[in-house]
Amino acid sequence: MKKVFSLIIALSFALLVAAQPANYYNSANGLTGNQLKVALHNIIKGHSSISYAQIWNAFWSTDNKGNGVVWDMYSDRPNGTSPYVYYLGEDQCGNYSGEGDCYNREHSWPSSWFNDQNTPRTDLHHIFPTDGYVNNRRGNYAFGEVGSASWTSRNGSKLGACKTPGFSGTVFEPIDEYKGDFARAIMYMSVRYFSEDASWSSSDMTSKSEIKPWAIEMLLRWNELDPVSEKEKERNETIYNDYQHNRNPFVDHPEYARMIWDPNWSVVEENSMEVYLFPNPIECGQTLHLSSNCNAFDAVAICDLCGRTLFKISGHLVGDFAVTLPDGFAKGCYIVKLMCNGNVLKYEKLLVK
C-alpha cells in the first residue's frame, strides 16, 4: 500500500506549493530527518553566485512591489498604509540618521554568523531590501518573540527581551505577516550550508549552520502560522531562473521543515478511505458537509495548524454528515481530523475564507 506522511501540517500546505521544476526534489522523496536535510543540501548546493554589488540590481526583480517600489518587510504594513516608501535605485543607502531615510541589504542570517564568507554573503535567498536604520537596530541579534520591547519600528517590528521559551536575551521580532518569510530563509541557510560551515561562528540562535532547539521550535511555528505567499513563490522562481539556479525548498515544500526537525514526524500506511469536504473553501457560518466511504467516525475535530482543537463533534457519524461552523472563524487554513476508537484515521485540509 502507498505510504504517506501523516503530519497534519503537510496537508495544510497543499494549496500553497510553488511550481518547482519537474523532478527537482526526486532524490529527497521518502526521506525524513537528517537524511532529508542531506538530500536537500545536495540538491541546492553549488549555486551560481552573484557579486555583492549585483544584489542592488537583483532587487529590481526579486523585491519589486510594483512600479519600482521596494518590498521592505521591516516597513511594510500589509493591511494598512506603510509609514514610508522607497523606490528601487533612488533610495539606496548611503548614509542614514533615522528610520525612513534609505534602504540597504539585510542579511536575515547575519554575516557575522558565517564570518563574512563570500558565497553566503551574496545568497539572495536570505538577503532582503530593508530600511537601513531598522536593519542596523536589528544588527546581529537573533530573531525571536519580544516580551518587553526596548524599541519598536514604525511598522511594528520590535527589539527587546525574548519571551520565547529557551532564550531570554535580546531578540528582533518582525511583524506576524512576514515571520514565515524569515523562518523559511533561516531554514534555507541551515540546509544550504550544512557541512560547509567549518569556519562559521555561533550565535544566540545558531551553532554554525545548525539552528538551536529553542529557535527551531519557534521557526516551525512561524513557518505554519504565516504560510507561503505569492511574494515568496515569485521571488523563489526569479532567483532560480535568473540568478542562482537553486531554490528555497521550504518555499516549495513548507512541510519539509517538520519532516527534518520535528522528531514526532511519522510515517503511516494509507488506508482506502475516501473523504470529501464541501464546500471547500468555506465561508464562516456555512455548513460543512463530509462525505466518506468509511463505516463510521466517532468524532470530527477542526484544528488550527498547531494541532489545537477549535471545534469538535462526537457521535456515530455515518456516511454523509454535516458540521455547522460557528461564526467567528478567522479566514485561513485548518485541519479536519476524522477519528475512530480514539485514533485519527485521516486528516483533511480545509480553507476558510
Side-chain angles (χ1 to χ4, degrees):
M1 297 178 72
K2 177 184 173 186
K3 289 194 173 184
V4 296
F5 294 104
S6 65
L7 183 69
I8 61 177
I9 301 305
L11 292 170
S12 73
F13 286 123
L15 297 176
L16 296 170
V17 175
Q20 68 267 8
N23 306 321
Y24 189 78
Y25 294 108
N26 274 10
S27 61
N29 289 345
L31 302 178
T32 59
N34 201 59
Q35 289 183 325
L36 176 57
K37 188 184 219 182
V38 171
L40 293 177
H41 169 74
N42 288 334
I43 291 169
I44 64 176
K45 70 179 182 179
H47 68 262
S48 300
S49 296
I50 63 174
S51 72
Y52 196 58
Q54 286 175 314
I55 293 172
W56 294 118
N57 291 331
F59 285 159
W60 281 87
S61 51
T62 61
D63 296 272
N64 190 339
K65 201 171 185 180
N67 299 319
V69 174
V70 175
W71 204 318
D72 171 11
M73 294 187 287
Y74 287 172
S75 67
D76 186 52
R77 288 178 179 163
N79 300 313
T81 302
S82 299
Y84 45 86
V85 173
Y86 294 129
Y87 289 92
L88 289 157
E90 297 180 18
D91 299 309
Q92 290 177 196
C93 297
N95 297 319
Y96 54 83
S97 58
E99 190 175 355
D101 285 348
C102 57
Y103 73 94
N104 62 8
R105 296 160 290 192
E106 158 73 314
H107 293 79
S108 58
W109 187 295
S111 56
S112 63
W113 296 3
F114 52 78
N115 286 329
D116 293 311
Q117 281 190 334
N118 285 334
T119 301
R121 185 170 177 261
T122 63
D123 193 327
L124 286 167
H125 283 297
H126 84 113
I127 301 173
F128 305 97
T130 63
D131 178 86
Y133 183 79
V134 181
N135 184 352
N136 181 259
R137 293 302 300 259
R138 189 259 164 133
N140 61 359
Y141 289 119
F143 286 124
E145 293 157 330
V146 172
S148 177
S150 59
W151 179 81
T152 302
S153 77
R154 290 165 65 183
N155 87 327
S157 299
K158 302 173 185 176
L159 186 72
C162 184
K163 67 176 182 180
T164 309
F167 183 65
S168 59
T170 301
V171 293
F172 183 85
E173 180 178 3
I175 62 174
D176 291 347
E177 290 86 348
Y178 292 120
K179 284 178 177 173
D181 302 58
F182 288 113
R184 288 179 280 275
I186 294 294
M187 292 188 289
Y188 161 86
M189 290 291 287
S190 180
V191 171
R192 167 60 186 87
Y193 297 98
F194 174 71
S195 73
E196 299 180 18
D197 59 354
S199 64
W200 287 31
S201 300
S202 295
S203 72
D204 291 331
M205 190 177 193
T206 59
S207 178
K208 295 186 180 293
S209 67
E210 295 292 331
I211 304 169
K212 291 183 177 178
W214 76 266
I216 196 61
E217 289 182 15
M218 177 192 73
L219 295 177
L220 290 174
R221 284 191 287 105
W222 286 11
N223 179 46
E224 291 154 8
L225 296 175
D226 174 31
V228 176
S229 63
E230 287 300 320
K231 168 191 183 295
E232 290 175 271
K233 293 181 191 178
E234 292 173 5
R235 194 176 198 274
N236 201 28
E237 293 295 330
T238 299
I239 293 172
Y240 173 75
N241 289 318
D242 300 340
Y243 296 100
Q244 297 185 179
H245 311 301
N246 74 338
R247 305 178 68 84
N248 183 336
F250 304 102
V251 172
D252 291 331
H253 290 280
E255 71 275 15
Y256 282 164
R258 285 205 181 269
M259 291 169 67
I260 293 173
W261 285 292
D262 186 348
N264 295 319
W265 178 274
S266 61
V267 178
V268 298
E269 293 288 338
E270 181 183 32
N271 57 36
S272 59
M273 179 173 57
E274 295 180 352
V275 177
Y276 302 95
L277 308 181
F278 57 94
N280 187 15
I282 190 171
E283 301 207 2
C284 295
Q286 282 188 299
T287 297
L288 173 68
H289 295 270
L290 294 92
S291 178
S292 173
N293 64 348
C294 182
N295 290 333
F297 300 107
D298 56 30
V300 173
I302 296 176
C303 308
D304 64 16
L305 297 184
C306 293
R308 294 182 290 258
T309 298
L310 305 176
F311 178 69
K312 184 176 182 179
I313 61 170
S314 301
H316 191 67
L317 308 170
V318 183
D320 186 358
F321 54 96
V323 178
T324 301
L325 291 182
D327 290 329
F329 259 65
K331 68 178 182 178
C333 289
Y334 295 87
I335 297 300
V336 179
K337 288 184 183 179
L338 302 159
M339 294 169 279
C340 186
N341 297 323
N343 297 314
V344 177
L345 296 182
K346 196 171 182 69
Y347 296 106
E348 292 290 323
K349 61 183 178 291
L350 174 68
L351 186 64
V352 176
K353 63 178 182 178

